[in-house]
Amino acid sequence: KDTFEGHQVLRIVPKNDVQLSLIKELEKMIEFELDIWMGVTDAFSPVDIRVPSHTLHSFKSYLENFNINYSTMIENLQEMLDREQEEMDSAAR
Amino acid sequence: VGQPRNTDSFDYARYHPINEIYSFQDMLVAENPNMVSKLVIGQSYEGRPLNVLKFSTGGTNRPAIWIDTGIHSREWVTQASGIWFAKKIVKDYGSDPALTAILDNMDIFLEIVTNPDGYYFTHTSNRMWRKTRKPNPGSSCIGVDPNRNWDAGFGGPGASSSPCSETYRGPRAHSEPEVKAIVDFVKSHGNIKAFISIHSYSQMLLYPYGYTTTPVKDQAELHQLAQKAISDLTSLYGTRYKYGSIINTIYQASGGTIDWTYNQGVKYSYTFELRDTGLYGFLLPANQIIPTAQETWLALMAIMDHTHKNPY
């Protein structure tokens, strides 16, 4: 079973068209192994991206280099998945 | 142990594995033999049945409304909402005048698990799986995005040609059996008047097109109806939605489901993106299932009612 220990989901809100195009470029940058949960639409609309733990540091540095603000929507994805599974199991019982 | 004996004791406020959804469908058919039947419109790549519930009060090849949920397997709130809609239809027929009028004149088709292989995979191996499960020759990456696999601007911008991408369009239009089954069904039925494809999560109601900026010829009517549907949806819990054409509201996406259905002549073609609390993404807690389904139902009713009252 695939696990997602340490994966984070970051929420990025582009504040102008420059940031918008920088974030659009991210979708093509395979080295970060990003999983786009909610894609780029327009400035001020959130973009949610799952980032694996092993690229998290470099990805955050990339955002910070371009002064792109982000918040952490999900701190540790696996913890949430474990909670979801526990909830399903206990409801089934 | 723990298995519901009927659809009244089914737990609508939790997520269910695929075998429980199959059992739910069979129970609903058994309990409502005069209204609900199960059609198997094809098989998934891994051989699972593509079940469609047909809600009908009689007639032959009546004008019909299609609803599908779960084409992107990880969007669990959509399959869970589909289950709730199925029960809601049988519960409200005969007591809700609008739904009763619709079902007295039209059929409703509901495909709850549109991508069964993907859904099974999300429960057993990878909760984050979105695509189908067919291998791609020459690549180690599996699956196709079934919402980029339709013959509407197929291969254009807004879909990927790389099998490893989450938006991989597939080798050719309708290459995925899960997509082809719906294509064949819509064509052979020939009397589908509304087609609603349900996704999550960014709180939007969208109409065609996604592959071109050219507006559809019914844009004014579709926009007005979207406004009414969202106003009804918002009235329940205050959930705010955006609405508009796919390309203007989100981004360019080619090979999309409702672009194809619209081009086939299904005027009322819409796609939903359900509730987003801003905290969980695809992991929407199970206690959000019923509120999500309830508010979405109001919008669905607006679209179905308009379709019924505006025959074409």
Side-chain angles (χ1 to χ4, degrees), chain B residues 54 56-62 107:
Chain B
K54 178 183 180 184
S56 178
T57 59
T60 308
N61 199 232
R62 281 180 167 175
D107 296 338

Side-chain angles (χ1 to χ4, degrees), chain B residues 26 40 52 75 113 118 161 167-168 171 184 207 239 242 265-266 306:
Chain B
D26 291 336
V40 182
V52 175
E75 298 167 8
V113 191
S161 58
T167 58
Y168 176 48
D184 291 345
Y207 51 79
T239 310
K242 285 185 189 173
V266 184
H306 184 90

